[in-house]
C-alpha cells in the first residue's frame, strides 16, 4: 500500500496520513479506543486508492465513516 499524503490547508504542507494519529484524535474527541481504531482503519481502507487528500476532504470522509457507523449502531 502506498503512502497517503494529506495536504494541509491553507498553507499547503504535505504530511503523511497515519492511522494512529487519527485514532488518537478520535479518542481525544471522546470515542473509546477500540471504536476509534476501527473507524480509523475504515477511513484508511477508504483512502487506499487516493494518493493525496486535503484536510477538508479528509474531515468529510471521517465524518461519513462515523455517521455510517452510528447508523449501523442505531438500527
Amino acid at each position: 500500500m502506498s503512502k497517503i499524503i494529506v495536504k494541509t490547508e491553507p498553507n499547503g504542507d504535505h504530511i503523511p496520513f497515519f492511522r494512529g494519529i487519527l485514532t488518537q484524535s478520535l479518542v481525544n474527541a471522546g470515542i473509546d479506543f477500540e471504536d476509534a481504531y476501527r473507524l480509523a482503519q475504515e477511513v484508511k481502507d477508504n483512502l487506499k486508492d487516493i494518493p493525496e487528500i486535503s484536510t477538508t476532504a479528509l474531515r468529510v470522509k471521517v465524518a461519513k465513516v462515523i455517521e455510517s457507523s452510528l447508523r449501523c449502531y442505531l438500527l
Side-chain angles (χ1 to χ4, degrees), residues 28-70:
N28 291 346
I31 299 172
D32 69 83
F33 177 80
E34 291 80 17
D35 289 336
Y37 184 87
R38 180 183 50 77
L39 291 167
Q41 182 62 50
E42 190 172 338
V43 169
K44 184 177 179 181
D45 291 345
N46 288 339
L47 297 175
K48 68 181 178 190
D49 296 324
I50 300 173
E52 184 176 295
I53 188 168
S54 69
T55 52
T56 299
L58 180 57
R59 284 184 186 107
V60 169
K61 287 207 177 275
V62 170
K64 286 181 180 181
V65 166
I66 292 170
E67 182 181 346
S68 176
S69 179
L70 285 173

Side-chain angles (χ1 to χ4, degrees), residues 6-18:
V6 180
K7 184 176 179 183
T8 63
E9 296 166 342
N11 60 3
D13 290 340
H14 291 79
I15 58 172
F17 170 85
F18 290 111

